[in-house]
Amino acid sequence: FRRYAESYGVVALKKLLFFVEHRSSLTKGLQQGIVYRNMAQYERFLADGDFQEFYWFSYDPDDHAHLERLRNEKPFWKHLHLLTPPRFLTGSVGAAIYSIIGPFIHWRAFANADAIKAHQVSGAWTALLARWIFRKPFLFRLGYPLSYRFKTEGKKFRHWLTRRLETALMRNADHAAVTSTQMLDYYHALAPETPIIILPNYVDTGGFTPVETLDMSRPILFVGRLAEVKNLENLIRAVARIGHPLHIYGGGPIEDRLRQLAAELGADVEFKGFVANTDLMKIHHEHSLYILCSTREGLPKTLVEAMASGLICVGTPAEGIQELIKDNETGYLIDGFDADAIEARLRWVLENFDPAIARAAVDFIHRTHSLDYAVELEREIFEKIMPPANEAAGKPAATTAVS
């Protein structure tokens, strides 16, 4: 953007409107400890002069109190504006209504935005409405295909509906970005004419330093959502047989069931709750082995972060995991998803791990999944889809810079 602005002799304020996912909010992000990680790229955009104002389409009217507190922490938060619903449009039904009429409630902010970005398929229909109504450049960035998830779960109507939503999003986007090769092929087939690239999940490598000593007597570590897809019941069965402690960070719908299973099996499992992303490196340095045994993944951020911290990483052969873990190169892959396979691989790794694998993982993440790398890729997309400053404003080029 600076290159555009400088070539025209102006410096223009750029405003980005973004959608995280349906029912997302600053409040929820703070509770889950992911806000600072998710805002890191926007903070970098501000520092580099790419955008000066950011609008977050949020679903919680209580977000404003949290934002006021955050504005005392860093200058970035003074450039973030929350577009929240009236209180009578909260709850599941209210949120659904708000996702449709929100562009009209906040029409001024939508109209003033220079570009639109959606983070996920969930909730991206609001971004699609904004694209249709306000005709702004639209970047569709997404994680795991929602329609594919519903297909594997046997939810035929949801699969049909989300497949059509994804097709509409792809056909109306000026550019798309996905996190893995698997998703590139899947979404390119929906709209071959829409430019699409791999924009991997990132980690601010400056905030993660490799552990100094790998000690396999420490507990095994898992960080993530406690949901069926994470295959945690089989992990608990495996560690119960091995007799090795396991620390689980996160929360989710099956937590009570997991606690009951661990108690029944006599497994040494501690449920630690949510951890703020800012505290994650400290948690990593208290462990040496990280495991992710999901049955499906897009490109898991928690695995990227564990690799950046130099942990020995073990994972199941889900496609997204395999894009990060190259067996015996950047980590260790499990030969299957059941408890027997997890147990066998963990026993082998605990006895035979190679510290060089952890060093190779750190190098891999720094080269291909750093915040700097992701920001530069996304910057290039916006430079392609957004008009130069004077063209967007409908004005001739200025001859003097505006401060």
Side-chain angles (χ1 to χ4, degrees):
F1 292 41
R2 293 189 305 277
R3 290 195 286 270
Y4 277 134
E6 290 165 1
S7 67
Y8 281 83
V10 298
V11 177
L13 295 177
K14 295 284 187 179
K15 304 176 182 68
L16 178 63
L17 168 63
F18 64 88
F19 305 79
V20 178
E21 63 180 336
H22 186 56
R23 301 192 73 178
S24 73
S25 68
L26 176 61
T27 302
K28 186 181 293 184
L30 288 169
Q31 291 170 347
Q32 296 175 346
I34 59 175
V35 162
Y36 294 99
R37 176 181 69 189
N38 289 348
M39 294 298 108
Q41 64 185 122
Y42 299 130
E43 190 172 352
R44 185 66 59 83
F45 280 148
L46 175 66
D48 292 347
D50 299 306
F51 289 98
Q52 285 74 36
E53 302 294 332
F54 304 88
Y55 297 99
W56 179 350
F57 189 82
S58 168
Y59 287 80
D60 191 338
D62 291 329
D63 279 357
H64 296 282
H66 294 292
L67 182 59
E68 286 306 310
R69 176 179 58 80
L70 290 171
R71 283 178 171 170
N72 294 321
E73 290 186 4
K74 286 184 177 181
F76 164 74
W77 298 104
K78 296 178 181 178
H79 296 262
L80 178 69
H81 309 279
L82 297 168
L83 308 180
T84 59
R87 291 197 176 275
F88 65 86
L89 287 181
T90 55
S92 57
V93 175
I97 296 171
Y98 174 62
S99 71
I100 302 300
I101 68 172
F104 303 99
I105 295 175
H106 301 293
W107 68 270
R108 193 181 299 277
F110 277 60
N112 287 335
D114 293 289
I116 299 169
K117 176 186 172 184
H119 282 237
Q120 298 286 353
V121 175
S122 174
W125 55 83
T126 314
L128 184 59
L129 286 172
R131 168 68 168 141
W132 286 339
I133 297 168
F134 298 97
R135 311 307 299 171
K136 304 293 184 178
F138 175 34
L139 168 59
F140 178 36
R141 190 185 190 279
L142 63 151
Y144 194 81
L146 197 57
S147 61
Y148 189 76
R149 168 190 157 189
F150 289 141
K151 182 179 180 179
T152 59
E153 292 176 351
K155 298 176 180 177
K156 294 182 180 180
F157 176 73
R158 290 190 177 187
H159 168 255
W160 176 87
L161 187 62
T162 53
R163 181 74 168 175
R164 276 143 189 82
L165 172 62
E166 290 166 349
T167 300
L169 287 162
M170 282 297 299
R171 290 178 178 175
N172 285 273
D174 294 283
H175 210 295
V178 295
T179 57
S180 70
T181 303
Q182 169 199 9
M183 290 183 284
L184 183 73
D185 296 338
Y186 188 84
Y187 280 105
H188 178 68
L190 298 181
E193 70 284 356
T194 300
I196 185 170
I197 66 166
I198 295 177
L199 182 59
N201 286 331
Y202 62 82
V203 60
D204 185 356
T205 52
F208 291 84
T209 57
V211 298
E212 295 181 0
T213 304
L214 293 171
D215 179 359
M216 290 299 156
S217 67
R218 296 169 178 167
I220 296 167
L221 175 65
F222 167 84
V223 179
R225 189 163 183 264
L226 309 191
E228 294 281 359
V229 69
K230 299 302 182 181
N231 198 25
L232 292 168
E233 289 178 308
N234 279 330
L235 174 59
I236 290 172
R237 293 186 181 100
V239 297
R241 297 172 189 173
I242 296 171
H244 201 93
L246 169 67
H247 287 175
I248 293 178
Y249 283 84
I254 66 169
E255 181 173 347
D256 290 343
R257 197 167 84 215
L258 295 175
R259 287 179 177 273
Q260 182 178 351
L261 177 64
E264 290 173 355
L265 298 176
D268 186 0
V269 180
E270 291 186 35
F271 293 85
K272 299 286 193 174
F274 289 110
V275 57
N277 193 252
T278 50
D279 297 330
L280 199 52
M281 188 178 74
K282 178 178 180 294
I283 301 299
H284 285 164
H285 281 237
E286 296 170 353
H287 302 81
S288 293
L289 190 153
Y290 180 82
I291 188 165
L292 188 61
C293 48
S294 307
T295 54
R296 65 170 186 271
E297 284 285 352
L299 195 88
K301 293 179 182 177
T302 60
L303 181 55
V304 173
E305 291 162 336
M307 294 172 74
S309 286
L311 299 184
I312 293 293
C313 292
V314 179
T316 44
E319 290 190 52
I321 294 174
Q322 290 190 81
E323 294 210 18
L324 294 169
I325 294 181
K326 306 301 178 186
D327 196 29
N328 294 304
E329 294 180 19
T330 58
Y332 298 99
L333 287 175
I334 300 165
D335 186 23
F337 298 89
D338 60 30
D340 291 341
I342 297 170
E343 175 194 356
R345 196 54 163 157
L346 280 177
R347 286 188 185 278
W348 188 92
V349 172
L350 288 168
E351 293 293 330
N352 301 285
F353 77 95
D354 181 357
I357 297 290
R359 294 192 294 270
V362 172
D363 180 65
F364 172 71
I365 296 302
H366 277 251
R367 285 187 289 105
T368 62
H369 292 77
S370 70
L371 174 60
D372 291 340
Y373 180 72
V375 166
E376 184 57 33
L377 284 178
E378 194 160 308
R379 175 182 293 127
E380 291 174 0
I381 294 174
F382 281 120
E383 289 182 347
K384 289 177 183 177
I385 69 176
M386 291 181 66
N390 71 303
E391 182 181 323
K395 298 177 181 179
T399 57
T400 58
V402 179
S403 60

